[in-house]
């Protein structure tokens, strides 16, 4: 089979989701010619809003090549959402497994059958303060090296204006009408990694190449230069923890030096509420 048919369930999802997307948002779609007409392939997409899957799925549906997303297995067990996830052929990821290759075996099988599998390589919403792609996880690279399938970098921007990540309240900001911008680029050249043992270092290098390609496309979409290095939220968490420890030590030292008559000085928290939420979410994602 050279390509997967759209099928009943995907068409039903389109009937439900497309009308409000067409009414509520404008679209700026580019690079559809880079989506392969036949054969299995991977798309690697940046992630900066909870609306991203709808925006990107709408874009790709209109190319005639529907994507199969990797999603947490728990979503497949819940009511109507689970029914739609199963019906549209999305791929459950069993996070409890210790074997990364087995976790993506369904993705490999789908690509071998001529289907498209969509990855969000960051694994979660970006933590970059300016919403650029952060350092990615190695799952997409692992599947790409196993299958040698084309990897199409996809950048999207605009859904974050309607629903910003990590906002205090997950409310849609529909007015003024936002533009959903999606752009696909040419396939990422990973041929230098094909004949190498997929060690952690090789997978990391291949992932960095994929993330650089996504970031390059996003820089075009945004019309501004990208950062020289991707944001590494693990290092950011470590810095925040060090700052908190140093602040606590400084507070304890100041308290020991105060006389009983001295009032305790107010101290600013080392980590603000927004950063604290981001840090807590990052720690939860890391534990999965």
């Amino acid at each position: 089979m050279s390509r997967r048919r759209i099928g009943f369930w995907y068409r039903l999802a389109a009937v439900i989701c497309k009308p409000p997307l067409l009414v509520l948002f404008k679209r700026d779609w580019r690079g559809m010619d880079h989506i392969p007409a036949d054969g299995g392939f991977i798309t690697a997409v940046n992630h900066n809003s909870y609306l991203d899957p709808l925006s990107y799925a709408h874009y790709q549906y209109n190319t005639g090549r529907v994507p199969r997303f990797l999603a947490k297995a728990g979503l497949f067990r819940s009511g109507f959402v689970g029914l739609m996830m199963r019906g549209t052929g999305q791929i459950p990821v069993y996070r409890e497994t210790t074997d990364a290759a087995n976790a993506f075996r369904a993705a490999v099988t789908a690509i071998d059958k001529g289907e498209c599998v969509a990855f969000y390589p960051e694994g979660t919403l970006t933590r970059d303060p300016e919403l650029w792609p952060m350092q990615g996880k190695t799952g997409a690279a692992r599947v790409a090296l196993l299958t040698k399938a084309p990897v199409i970098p996809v950048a999207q921007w605009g859904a974050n204006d309607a629903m910003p990540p990590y906002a205090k309240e997950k409310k849609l900001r529909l007015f003024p009408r936002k533009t959903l911008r999606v752009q696909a680029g040419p396939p990422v050249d990973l041929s230098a990694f094909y004949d190498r043992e997929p060690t952690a270092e090789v997978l990391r290098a291949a992932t960095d190449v994929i993330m650089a390609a996504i970031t390059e496309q996003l820089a075009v979409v945004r019309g501004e230069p990208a950062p020289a290095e991707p944001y590494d939220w693990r290092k950011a968490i470590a810095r925040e923890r060090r700052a908190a420890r140093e602040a606590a030590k400084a507070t304890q030292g100041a308290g020991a030096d105060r006389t009983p008559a001295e009032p305790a000085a107010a101290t600013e928290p080392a980590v603000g509420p927004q950063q604290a939420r981001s840090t807590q979410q990052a720690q939860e994602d890391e534990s999965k």
Side-chain angles (χ1 to χ4, degrees):
M1 181 168 60
S2 61
R3 61 184 294 176
R4 182 180 185 228
R5 295 177 58 190
I6 292 179
F8 168 78
W9 287 102
Y10 238 119
R11 293 188 187 280
L12 176 61
V15 167
I16 295 171
C17 297
K18 282 183 68 174
L21 288 172
L22 291 170
V23 171
L24 297 173
F25 297 97
K26 295 180 284 185
R27 288 160 303 287
D28 180 4
W29 290 348
R30 312 174 193 173
M32 285 186 170
D33 54 307
H34 293 301
I35 301 297
D38 297 285
F41 66 102
I42 295 167
T43 53
V45 193
N46 69 306
H47 196 14
N48 54 37
S49 172
Y50 291 108
L51 289 180
D52 283 348
L54 288 176
S55 174
Y56 161 68
H58 188 191
Y59 169 90
Q60 181 129 350
Y61 181 89
N62 278 33
T63 71
R65 300 300 311 273
V66 293
R68 294 183 66 181
F69 291 92
L70 275 76
K72 291 183 290 187
L75 293 175
F76 291 74
R77 297 189 291 268
S78 56
F80 182 72
V81 172
L83 179 64
M84 293 299 293
M85 296 290 281
R86 296 189 300 272
T88 54
Q90 308 313 312
I91 299 172
V93 176
Y94 299 92
R95 293 181 181 272
E96 64 270 16
T97 181
T98 58
D99 190 331
N102 285 339
F104 298 114
R105 63 188 179 276
V108 172
T109 299
I111 291 168
D112 288 341
K113 290 181 177 179
E115 301 182 26
C116 167
V117 176
F119 280 85
Y120 287 105
E122 296 161 279
T124 185
L125 291 166
T126 181
R127 264 61 176 203
D128 183 273
E130 301 299 324
L131 303 186
W132 290 98
M134 62 181 180
Q135 190 174 72
K137 297 184 178 181
T138 60
R142 184 183 295 274
V143 173
L145 298 187
L146 283 170
T147 61
K148 296 183 173 59
V151 178
I152 309 300
V154 179
Q156 52 185 358
W157 188 253
N160 51 290
D161 293 328
M163 183 175 282
Y166 307 115
K168 291 182 179 180
E169 297 181 2
K170 296 178 183 178
K171 291 184 178 180
L172 282 172
R173 304 175 184 180
L174 298 176
F175 302 102
R177 197 167 174 231
K178 309 299 189 295
T179 300
L180 302 179
R181 296 180 170 85
V182 185
Q183 176 167 309
V188 181
D189 184 6
L190 297 177
S191 59
F193 304 101
Y194 286 163
D195 297 325
R196 299 171 62 181
E197 183 71 20
T199 62
E201 292 75 15
V202 167
L203 292 173
R204 170 49 50 199
T207 298
D208 290 345
V209 172
I210 293 171
M211 297 308 301
I214 299 171
T215 303
E216 181 181 354
Q217 295 302 316
L218 185 59
V220 174
V221 172
R222 293 176 59 166
E224 55 186 289
E229 298 291 337
Y231 184 74
D232 188 333
W233 54 266
R234 292 179 181 84
K235 291 182 179 179
I237 291 172
R239 287 195 297 270
E240 290 176 358
R241 287 173 175 171
R242 284 197 299 270
R245 287 196 297 268
E246 291 170 0
K249 290 179 181 178
T251 301
Q252 292 173 356
D257 292 338
R258 285 197 306 268
T259 62
E262 286 182 300
T267 59
E268 292 293 330
V271 180
Q274 180 72 12
Q275 292 173 302
R277 285 193 300 273
S278 178
T279 299
Q280 181 181 2
Q281 183 64 40
Q283 292 170 348
E284 292 173 358
D285 290 335
E286 180 68 9
S287 66
K288 292 177 180 178

